[in-house]
């Protein structure tokens, strides 16, 4: 804890943002379970929620000018780590918002200037996903369309020769093809209820600004006009069922 306390505050704030991303990742996991029957463990989810609740309090205290509770912040990180050890994967800790960080690391076409440490990028991803999820939830009902694989020409253009082979391999057994698209429409009222528990983008931005944390694409070297592209491209990076990925099944 002495080492943690001695770290630059911006580095600690990056860790805060990484845990606050569970607002979206927990929702993504629950939504995936609803529509596809993906394995879901309530006990592990409760642990992730505890980590989130602890970090929400830490973040709010920091915003209000109270001393940083480094012990609680470290506890939240360890709880998140335990969820990954128990599941042997990161499902409870990483959803669509984390893929923005991977987008920054991979630098596909149009994102060559993207930069930033993991937590800052995830924080921006959390705002981006919260904004999009709440936009979708404004629809009382949705229409769905049949599954279509990613357009190979699009993959080759965006990911270029450097990355496209890996993206094709990752998506060869697309998780979107594992359940009927109609499930998404049928479960939409429950999905909207889960989205309602996610803070709005405006609420997250207000908090992140107070913490001097990243909150917009420009903070990680991406033009703010690239929101749609960032969502679309990041969703193709990993074959994980998130609501952002499910947008391919929703008729707009």
């Amino acid at each position: 804890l002495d080492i943690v306390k001695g770290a630059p505050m911006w580095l600690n704030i990056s860790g805060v943002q990484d845990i606050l991303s569970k607002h979206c990742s927990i929702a993504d996991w629950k939504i995936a379970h609803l529509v596809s029957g993906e394995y879901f463990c309530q006990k592990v989810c409760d642990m992730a929620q505890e980590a989130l609740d602890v970090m929400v309090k830490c973040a709010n205290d920091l915003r209000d000018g109270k001393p940083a509770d480094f012990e609680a912040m470290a506890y939240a990180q360890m709880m998140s780590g335990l969820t990954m050890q128990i599941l042997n994967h990161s499902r409870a800790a990483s959803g669509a918002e984390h893929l923005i960080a991977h987008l920054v690391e991979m630098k596909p076409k149009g994102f060559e200037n993207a930069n930033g440490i993991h937590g800052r990028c995830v924080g921006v991803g959390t705002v981006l996903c919260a904004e999009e999820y709440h936009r979708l939830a404004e629809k009382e009902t949705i229409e769905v369309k049949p599954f279509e694989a990613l357009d190979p020409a699009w993959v080759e253009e965006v990911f270029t020769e450097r990355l496209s082979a890996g993206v094709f391999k990752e998506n060869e057994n697309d998780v979107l093809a594992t359940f009927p698209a109609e499930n998404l429409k049928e479960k939409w009222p429950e999905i909207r209820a889960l989205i309602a528990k996610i803070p709005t983008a405006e609420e997250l931005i207000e908090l992140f600004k107070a913490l001097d944390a990243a909150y917009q694409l420009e903070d990680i070297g991406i033009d703010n006009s690239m929101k749609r592209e960032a969502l679309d491209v990041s969703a193709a990076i990993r074959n994980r069922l998130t609501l952002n990925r499910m947008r391919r099944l929703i008729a707009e």
Side-chain angles (χ1 to χ4, degrees):
L1 286 176
D2 288 341
I3 294 171
V4 173
K5 287 193 290 186
M9 199 59 201
W10 62 265
L11 196 55
N12 277 295
I13 293 300
S14 174
V16 170
Q17 289 187 284
D18 188 49
I19 298 299
L20 293 184
S21 73
K22 285 168 183 46
H23 284 301
C24 291
S25 63
I26 290 173
D28 270 335
W29 192 19
K30 289 180 176 179
I31 292 168
H33 174 66
L34 277 175
V35 302
S36 74
E38 179 184 323
Y39 174 75
F40 177 81
C41 177
Q42 187 62 57
K43 184 173 183 178
V44 172
C45 186
D46 289 343
M47 292 172 64
Q49 185 65 52
E50 181 182 356
L52 173 59
D53 292 342
V54 168
M55 197 62 90
V56 166
K57 183 180 186 305
C58 290
N60 288 337
D61 285 348
L62 285 170
R63 177 197 59 196
D64 296 339
K66 297 179 182 178
D69 188 341
F70 292 105
E71 184 174 355
M73 289 157 63
Y75 173 80
Q77 293 284 357
M78 288 189 287
M79 285 293 288
S80 178
L82 282 172
T83 68
M84 291 184 263
Q85 287 188 295
I86 291 169
L87 293 175
N88 200 29
H89 56 72
S90 61
R91 185 40 142 158
S94 171
E97 78 296 325
H98 264 71
L99 294 175
I100 297 299
H102 301 324
L103 173 76
V104 171
E105 293 155 359
M106 293 170 70
K107 302 185 188 303
K109 184 178 178 181
F111 298 92
E112 293 87 352
N113 296 322
N115 64 85
I117 60 174
H118 179 79
R120 282 176 62 84
C121 298
V122 169
V124 172
T126 303
V127 173
L128 197 63
C129 289
E131 181 179 48
E132 179 64 8
Y133 287 11
H134 280 287
R135 184 191 72 81
L136 290 169
E138 291 174 2
K139 305 174 185 287
E140 293 186 6
T141 60
I142 58 169
E143 295 301 323
V144 294
K145 52 190 178 182
F147 164 77
E148 291 185 7
L150 289 171
D151 180 0
W154 178 81
V155 172
E156 290 174 354
E157 178 187 359
V158 172
F159 290 99
T160 69
E161 185 178 355
R162 179 173 60 91
L163 298 168
S164 57
V167 173
F168 280 127
K169 183 172 179 57
E170 178 69 18
N171 289 278
E172 61 186 4
N173 296 306
D174 197 318
V175 68
L176 289 181
T178 63
F179 63 93
E182 286 296 324
N183 289 6
L184 187 55
K185 181 177 181 179
E186 179 186 336
K187 297 294 184 180
W188 192 245
E190 294 168 76
I191 292 170
R192 293 180 74 211
L194 289 171
I195 294 171
K197 297 178 182 179
I198 301 173
T200 65
E202 291 75 19
E203 290 169 332
L204 290 168
I205 289 170
E206 180 183 8
L207 174 61
F208 288 171
K209 280 184 174 180
L211 299 179
D212 196 23
Y215 65 90
Q216 58 184 340
L217 287 173
E218 286 185 354
D219 294 331
I220 55 173
I222 303 170
D223 193 280
N224 281 338
S225 66
M226 298 280 284
K227 286 182 180 181
R228 183 63 46 186
E229 290 84 352
L231 287 167
D232 290 345
V233 175
S234 65
I237 287 173
R238 187 171 190 184
N239 190 22
R240 172 166 282 177
L241 190 55
T242 66
L243 183 57
N244 184 35
R245 191 178 183 95
M246 290 182 226
R247 290 188 303 119
R248 285 167 49 198
L249 301 178
I250 299 175
E252 292 277 359

